[in-house]
């Protein structure tokens, strides 16, 4: 699982991105309602379809924040993401 995870990270983020921008953005200033996406069953988070999530966020003009890390064990009802 760890080898596959490292390969996925390299595939999704092929370049070193550098330091984060310290200036506040439109997203960090948003104070709207937050929606939770919960796990339906117990297990380890093995992968995330990053391309699909980015496209959903772009089309819907919202931010998807993944709470757990790949490899983390989740129980039913644990938060997977906030939207």
């Amino acid at each position: 699982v760890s080898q596959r995870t490292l390969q996925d990270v390299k595939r999704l983020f092929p370049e070193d991105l550098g330091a984060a921008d310290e200036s506040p953005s439109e997203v960090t200033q948003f104070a709207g309602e937050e929606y939770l996406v919960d796990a339906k069953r117990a297990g380890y988070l093995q992968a995330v379809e990053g391309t699909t999530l980015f496209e959903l966020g772009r089309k819907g003009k919202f931010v998807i924040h993944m709470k757990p890390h790949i490899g983390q064990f989740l129980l039913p009802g644990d938060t997977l993401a906030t939207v």
Side-chain angles (χ1 to χ4, degrees):
V1 173
S2 65
Q3 190 64 20
R4 182 174 167 204
T5 299
L6 292 173
Q7 290 171 348
D8 287 343
V9 170
K10 281 187 177 183
R11 179 179 54 80
L12 290 170
F13 306 103
E15 300 174 6
D16 291 332
L17 298 178
D21 184 5
E22 296 298 324
S23 62
S25 68
E26 210 174 302
V27 172
T28 59
Q29 295 173 7
F30 178 73
E33 196 169 343
E34 182 176 75
Y35 298 93
L36 302 178
V37 179
D38 296 332
K40 300 296 181 210
R41 61 180 190 262
Y44 290 95
L45 180 59
Q46 295 182 2
V48 174
E49 289 291 331
T51 304
T52 302
L53 290 177
F54 290 133
E55 188 64 19
L56 285 171
R58 187 184 66 76
K59 284 183 179 178
K61 296 184 179 173
F62 50 78
V63 174
I64 301 169
H65 179 76
M66 295 297 299
K67 295 290 186 176
H69 300 283
I70 293 175
Q72 186 172 336
F73 188 80
L74 302 167
L75 296 172
D78 284 350
T79 301
L80 283 170
T82 57
V83 180

